[in-house]
Amino acid sequence: MRLLVISPWCDDIELETCRGTPENAYLFREILNRGHEIIFVCQGTEAEIPENMKKRIRYYVVKSFPCLKPSKLNYITTPILHYFYEKYLAETIQKILQTFKVDVIYNIAGYGHPALLKLSRKYKVPYAVKTMGTIQYEKYIKTPWGKLLYFREHLVFKHLADHYFLVDDGTRSLKIAKIYNIPDDRLTVLSNAKPDNAFTKPASFKNTIGYFSRFDRLKGTDLFILVASQVIKLNPNIKFLIAGDGPMRPQILEFSNKFSGNVEYLGFLTYLETQKTFQEIDLLISTNRYSNMTLNVIEALNYGIPVVTFNTQDTSKLVKDGFNGFLIKPFDTKEMVKKVLSIFEKPDLFSLLQRGALETVKTIPTWEERSKLETNKLEELANEIY
């Protein structure tokens, strides 16, 4: 199978150097281990592509989709910019399709979807698209404003692909697909997965809380700072380990400087570095304003680390209040502070939540299992007669 993969990221296809979600790294490993060929088109720079992967795949680098600052301007400009960007992206894809016999086109995140779908029809190549979560689109989907806020997602579902891979991160992508009347036989749900291996967490307290996230308002970084500041004031023995990056990094730096004896900012870590950091914490806080059914929450539970988070969207499918952590009414920071402190005040409660965390992840697939499911379906598409 020769697979044409189109992605907005260049640097996440190799596990050792992956700086974000590892799903594409696991997927590439599975595809290549089966002896298939990958043609990779990514947004970014050639320097971002891992050196050892350059020898194993054929790759093309395109300009990134333009994003404006402040970010709210993108709600207005994205529909216009997407029209021009899809034409630009389609030029590269057409050249590839003219040069190589491609068995499947796989568009990760859906940039340029309408134009690439047309090319797939023209060259008679099966076309699949993967949604990387739909944030808060489910909340606004029935309004014209919502379709502007989530214009790319709207186009992905409006123009019917041969197959959809829906990442189940608690943002209700499946519900959105149903609203657009996508047939069941064109849908594959991909659960957020857990690491293939987990360490055994020591029973002793380190009095340390982790916050591993992108720093922005949607991720609730402002809410985290409020919570963490109060926790430190009420219990000066508690420390915080913070990792990540984003627009609110200055606020994180200001917070860490203000409480320098209690806060350590680790910068932006690779995926594997983050996994090691879980060994240093007792508790994870997640403050997203959308679903908190995120990878770092799954990873924490996988290591027996309780989670305190807001009960947004489908978060309650993963975090069970009083069983593996605590669910807080959105966005009650005072209640979150109270629950966080209670865990450190009651060792028996921590042990109970730790056991619940380990029990929860038993039914969650590993990345290896998920990448096999994804690759199996891509192979099925490649074998279909167009």
Side-chain angles (χ1 to χ4, degrees), residues 293-312:
M293 193 174 163
T294 55
L295 287 182
N296 63 352
V297 169
I298 290 175
E299 289 158 358
L301 297 175
N302 191 53
Y303 300 128
I305 298 169
V307 176
V308 179
T309 187
F310 294 123
N311 189 11
T312 49

Side-chain angles (χ1 to χ4, degrees), residues 165-375:
F165 292 89
L166 308 178
V167 175
D168 181 16
D169 62 352
T171 58
R172 301 171 181 169
S173 300
L174 182 59
K175 179 180 178 180
I176 292 170
K178 296 293 186 182
I179 292 173
Y180 279 88
N181 296 314
I182 308 298
D184 288 344
D185 61 356
R186 296 196 185 199
L187 298 172
T188 296
V189 176
L190 299 173
S191 301
N192 263 343
K194 63 185 179 185
D196 292 334
N197 300 303
F199 59 80
T200 301
K201 180 160 176 60
S204 60
F205 259 173
K206 295 179 180 292
N207 281 333
T208 303
I209 298 171
Y211 179 70
F212 311 144
S213 177
R214 175 173 167 78
F215 305 147
D216 61 27
R217 189 179 184 282
L218 198 57
K219 289 287 188 179
T221 300
D222 55 325
L223 302 174
F224 163 74
I225 292 173
L226 285 174
V227 170
S229 299
Q230 281 301 112
V231 167
I232 292 171
K233 289 176 182 178
L234 293 170
N235 187 341
N237 294 321
I238 293 178
K239 299 185 183 302
F240 284 85
L241 280 184
I242 301 174
D245 202 354
M248 294 188 71
R249 184 173 180 268
Q251 289 90 325
I252 286 290
L253 291 175
E254 181 183 355
F255 164 68
S256 62
N257 289 333
K258 182 178 180 180
F259 297 99
S260 57
N262 296 78
V263 179
E264 183 178 358
Y265 174 51
L266 304 173
F268 188 83
L269 304 181
T270 67
Y271 169 72
L272 292 181
E273 287 170 342
T274 303
Q275 300 313 296
K276 293 177 182 177
T277 307
F278 277 106
Q279 300 181 59
E280 305 302 321
I281 67 173
D282 306 300
L283 179 71
L284 183 81
I285 289 179
S286 183
T287 55
N288 290 3
R289 285 182 162 88
Y290 62 106
S291 171
N292 285 282
M293 193 174 163
T294 55
L295 287 182
N296 63 352
V297 169
I298 290 175
E299 289 158 358
L301 297 175
N302 191 53
Y303 300 128
I305 298 169
V307 176
V308 179
T309 187
F310 294 123
N311 189 11
T312 49
Q313 292 184 302
D314 285 346
T315 303
S316 61
K317 288 184 178 180
L318 179 62
V319 179
K320 306 296 181 182
D321 192 53
F323 179 71
N324 56 16
F326 287 112
L327 286 171
I328 310 300
K329 178 182 176 182
F331 296 97
D332 190 340
T333 56
K334 291 182 179 179
E335 182 64 17
M336 180 172 278
V337 169
K338 179 180 175 182
K339 292 297 186 182
V340 167
L341 291 172
S342 71
I343 293 175
F344 289 91
E345 293 166 355
K346 303 173 183 178
D348 290 344
L349 175 59
F350 172 76
S351 297
L352 176 69
L353 298 175
Q354 185 181 43
R355 290 194 296 271
L358 294 172
E359 184 67 28
T360 300
V361 295
K362 288 181 179 179
T363 58
I364 295 176
T366 64
W367 283 115
E368 183 176 350
E369 291 167 338
R370 197 188 104 164
S371 63
K372 289 182 184 299
L373 170 65
E374 198 171 355
T375 305

Side-chain angles (χ1 to χ4, degrees), residues 54-209:
K54 290 179 179 179
K55 301 174 183 178
R56 303 186 67 192
I57 62 175
R58 190 182 300 273
Y59 61 89
Y60 298 80
V61 177
V62 295
K63 296 177 183 178
S64 297
F65 187 87
C67 291
L68 304 180
K69 292 182 180 180
S71 59
K72 288 183 179 179
L73 290 175
N74 292 299
Y75 297 141
I76 302 170
T77 59
T78 292
I80 301 169
L81 293 175
H82 195 280
Y83 173 79
F84 292 101
Y85 188 80
E86 68 173 305
K87 290 183 177 297
Y88 160 72
L89 183 59
E91 290 178 3
T92 297
I93 303 305
Q94 178 154 320
K95 290 177 182 177
I96 293 171
L97 294 175
Q98 289 172 338
T99 306
F100 302 97
K101 181 187 180 301
V102 172
D103 297 301
V104 178
I105 300 171
Y106 193 17
N107 188 355
I108 296 173
Y111 284 89
H113 172 75
L116 304 192
L117 182 61
K118 288 180 182 178
L119 286 175
S120 76
R121 301 289 185 258
K122 178 179 178 180
Y123 290 93
K124 297 183 178 181
V125 180
Y127 174 87
V129 63
K130 175 158 68 174
T131 66
M132 308 297 290
T134 44
I135 315 297
Q136 294 180 312
Y137 188 25
E138 175 260 344
K139 181 179 179 181
Y140 302 105
I141 190 170
K142 294 184 179 180
T143 66
W145 178 242
K147 291 178 174 61
L148 285 176
L149 288 174
Y150 297 97
F151 188 70
R152 174 165 45 90
E153 289 80 2
H154 167 62
L155 292 180
V156 163
F157 289 109
K158 179 183 178 182
H159 300 274
L160 185 63
D162 294 314
H163 202 79
Y164 290 83
F165 292 89
L166 308 178
V167 175
D168 181 16
D169 62 352
T171 58
R172 301 171 181 169
S173 300
L174 182 59
K175 179 180 178 180
I176 292 170
K178 296 293 186 182
I179 292 173
Y180 279 88
N181 296 314
I182 308 298
D184 288 344
D185 61 356
R186 296 196 185 199
L187 298 172
T188 296
V189 176
L190 299 173
S191 301
N192 263 343
K194 63 185 179 185
D196 292 334
N197 300 303
F199 59 80
T200 301
K201 180 160 176 60
S204 60
F205 259 173
K206 295 179 180 292
N207 281 333
T208 303
I209 298 171

Side-chain angles (χ1 to χ4, degrees), residues 1-5 12-15 23-40 49-59 106 371-372 374-376 378-379:
M1 174 176 70
R2 180 180 286 141
L3 183 66
L4 172 56
V5 179
D12 65 346
I13 59 173
E14 200 274 330
L15 199 56
E23 58 188 277
N24 291 335
Y26 279 101
L27 176 63
F28 272 50
R29 185 173 72 177
E30 181 66 26
I31 291 170
L32 294 173
N33 284 348
R34 295 191 188 190
H36 300 311
E37 181 182 345
I38 296 175
I39 301 174
F40 184 47
I49 300 175
E51 285 299 323
N52 65 326
M53 292 299 290
K54 290 179 179 179
K55 301 174 183 178
R56 303 186 67 192
I57 62 175
R58 190 182 300 273
Y59 61 89
Y106 193 17
S371 63
K372 289 182 184 299
E374 198 171 355
T375 305
N376 288 345
L378 291 169
E379 288 176 337

